[in-house]
Each structure stands twice: as C-alpha cells, then as structure tokens.
Amino acid sequence: MGFHLPRIVQAKRSLSNANQASSNVPKGYVAVYVGDESQMKRFVIPVSHLNQPSFQELLNQAEEEFVFDHPMGALTIPCKEEAFLDLISRLNASR
C-alpha cells in the first residue's frame, strides 16, 4: 500500500485554490467563474440559486465540459456572460 505523491500534491493545490477563491465570499454565497477559458469572470451568487432548475441546467453543462476538474479552483460555468447575467437577474427577480 503506497501513497501517490503526485495526487496528494494535486489535491493540495486544488484545496489551496479553492480556499483562495472562497476567502472573499460571504456566508450563504458561492463564487462561480463564467465564460470561456480565455475570459473567465468571477461572480458571487446566493447558494439558493444552485437549487433552481434553470441553474441546474447550467451546472449539468459545466459537469459535461469540465467533469470535476475546475481549472479556476472554483465552480466554472461554460456559458456566455450575458446569458449568465440574464439567468441571475431572472432568479433574483423571483426571490
């Protein structure tokens, strides 16, 4: 039984990135990165949005594209920023 040192180092790096990404996020909110790989923009949204069916669809797309390896160290959603902002404004209006 041995340890896979590269996996441990990669896991530590991922946790470090996640901690940096979450350090400026208030309780009850989550940081997400939106856009294509060349132009990611960070948004902080209420956790309650994650349960909405329209947001679940975006999460399914993110899972298909990125699996569970989020390059930014946080939740990454591959969609156009305008589409994301439209969805968030609709979700905020329905609160």
Side-chain angles (χ1 to χ4, degrees):
M1 186 170 151
F3 293 99
H4 296 281
L5 197 52
R7 288 185 185 167
I8 293 171
V9 171
Q10 182 181 9
K12 186 176 178 182
R13 202 173 295 138
S14 293
L15 284 174
S16 175
N17 288 342
N19 286 339
Q20 289 173 356
S22 66
S23 64
N24 296 327
V25 179
K27 187 174 182 177
Y29 288 79
V30 64
V32 297
Y33 288 89
V34 177
D36 62 17
E37 290 182 31
S38 64
Q39 292 185 328
M40 288 284 178
K41 188 165 182 182
R42 182 175 185 258
F43 293 90
V44 177
I45 62 169
V47 172
S48 61
H49 286 351
L50 300 178
N51 292 325
Q52 300 300 318
S54 52
F55 202 88
Q56 289 287 320
E57 186 177 329
L58 277 180
L59 291 177
N60 288 335
Q61 290 174 6
E63 181 180 10
E64 288 175 13
E65 184 164 332
F66 291 106
V67 188
F68 288 106
D69 180 28
H70 298 286
M72 301 298 290
L75 182 59
T76 306
I77 300 176
C79 74
K80 294 189 182 285
E81 183 180 337
E82 297 81 23
F84 180 79
L85 290 173
D86 181 56
L87 172 63
I88 294 302
S89 67
R90 284 186 278 128
L91 291 175
N92 287 337
S94 67
R95 287 171 97 190

